[in-house]
Amino acid sequence: MAPKQTTPLALECKNSDDAKSMSFLTDKKILLGITGSIAAYKVADWVRALRREGGQVTVVMTEAACRFISPLTMAALSGNPVHTGMFSAEAPETIPHISLARDHDLLVIAPASAQTIARLAHGLADNLLATIALASSGPILVCPAMNSVMFQHPATQANLATIKSYGYRVLEPACGEMACGEEGPGRLTEWENARQAILTTFAPQNLADEHVLITAGPTRESFDPVRFLSNPSTGKMGYALAATARQRGATVTLISGPTALAAPPGVRRIQVTSATEMQAQVTECFDAATIVVKAAAVSDYRPAEPQLHKVKKGQATLSLPLVANPDILKELGERRRKSANYPLLIGFAAESRNHLKEGARKLKEKNLDLIVVNDIGGTETGFGANTNRVTLLDRNGGQEEMPLLSKEETAHRIWDAVGRLRMDNR
Ligand code: CTP
């Protein structure tokens, strides 16, 4: 018999730098319901990740879940007592399913077994978790994980359709090899997908009617089959903009130069290599966009005559004639001068000196609505850093200096500024 309540060990996980790790999860109360699936062990890491971002996690486990992972583990990781029974021996005067149902911002059920999904669909209240779901009026996120035949069974599919009709959000399981050895859909979704869905619950939906086109990463300009000109951009800022725009409800197309990053969940990504390829894709996707953000570090020049075969050494010096690449953003700015109905244009200015002066010049010359002036110098703000410190300059003369923030938080501040610009233009 599983213990009714398990008290946490003293395991403190305080953020070392709150300013850098702020997110919409900060101080949010997440109730995590774990059910009987072999994937239960995976959500132990989810608890740590939620706490790292400032979330307060309380865990509820079904009896079957306790067979897969110990409540003691979840108590230690969450820093809170774990609830497993309908009645509390420690505080008999409280009714756990009602107090827990009231006191959270989001209920996440992960992994959600076929049995629990059936319970939810039929409104059963025969264990603590199902009863909390029934008594809860807040958002509920369900992450199924089970054998793929069970997942694809019409009964499970009908139950999933039913809980979606109640307004529960369901994250599709991933395909792949399962613990039982079979292949197919049924693996618990990856944390990144769950995180994106959780953040979407809390993010303002001010981009719900927007189609955002974002460019990110470096471009590569080939000199011969094994060499190219490029820059150290990793794409982190552009990808953070894409992920956060999606969290805020936008349809997002991301045109990306070569990076090591995975496409953010729910984002359409088009991969390109050179500036001219990027230009072609931006032109193609442009008409559908209502906001364009050019975060890519585009190479300004490319080799004039790329060589078909590897250039052999042998000469003491080598000159490499270059030709200018198109300035994609400037072209878009020119096009908008001729049309009233035009997307919002946002550029970046990567500067090592005279930041504001250069930013203001690019804002005007490229005919932008907003420019994000970026210091490429310091270790905390340059290429590849996880943090950034930017100043926003807008076409109405507004100037906003941001503190050092994570790139994700910086992206959210940029979307806040876009929201204000939209209001000004109405
Ligand atoms: N940009 C672009 N096409 C280029 C060069 C830049 O679309 N060929 C865009 C960038 O994506 C960015 C903005 O223009 O949004 C400014 O880029 P930046 O590299 O800061 O400045 P440049 O215009 O290239 O000018 P400079 O290199 O002289 O600073």
Side-chain angles (χ1 to χ4, degrees), residues 361-407:
R361 176 180 69 77
K362 290 174 189 176
L363 176 77
K364 192 156 179 276
E365 281 181 11
K366 301 196 187 200
N367 195 22
L368 309 178
D369 295 288
L370 184 74
I371 194 153
V372 183
V373 186
N374 202 171
D375 182 4
I376 53 167
T379 51
E380 291 181 306
T381 58
F383 291 121
N386 289 322
T387 47
N388 211 348
R389 186 186 291 112
V390 303
T391 302
L392 306 185
L393 304 177
D394 71 42
R395 65 182 304 124
N396 305 323
Q399 177 174 330
E400 194 183 347
E401 214 169 300
M402 308 277 180
L404 185 71
L405 296 167
S406 69
K407 284 190 171 165

Side-chain angles (χ1 to χ4, degrees), residues 215-217 219 231 275 278 282 293-301 324-332 346-352 358 361-362 365-366 368 370-372 374 376 383:
T215 67
T219 64
N231 59 65
M278 184 171 279
V282 169
V293 187
K294 288 235 61 236
V298 186
S299 298
D300 288 327
Y301 294 92
N325 268 328
D327 187 324
I328 306 168
L329 188 55
K330 195 168 180 189
E331 284 178 4
L332 302 181
I346 301 165
F348 272 69
E351 307 298 343
S352 58
E358 280 300 289
R361 176 180 69 77
K362 290 174 189 176
E365 281 181 11
K366 301 196 187 200
L368 309 178
L370 184 74
I371 194 153
V372 183
N374 202 171
I376 53 167
F383 291 121

Side-chain angles (χ1 to χ4, degrees), residues 219-275:
T219 64
R220 282 182 189 170
E221 313 299 330
S222 283
F223 162 53
D224 73 8
V226 294
R227 302 179 183 96
F228 55 80
L229 288 180
S230 192
N231 59 65
S233 167
T234 56
K236 284 180 183 169
M237 192 62 238
Y239 275 60
L241 281 159
T244 51
R246 187 76 196 108
Q247 287 163 21
R248 288 173 176 241
T251 301
V252 183
T253 302
L254 174 65
I255 299 177
S256 172
T259 77
L261 303 175
V267 166
R268 174 180 172 232
R269 178 170 68 169
I270 300 168
Q271 288 172 288
V272 297
T273 303
S274 65

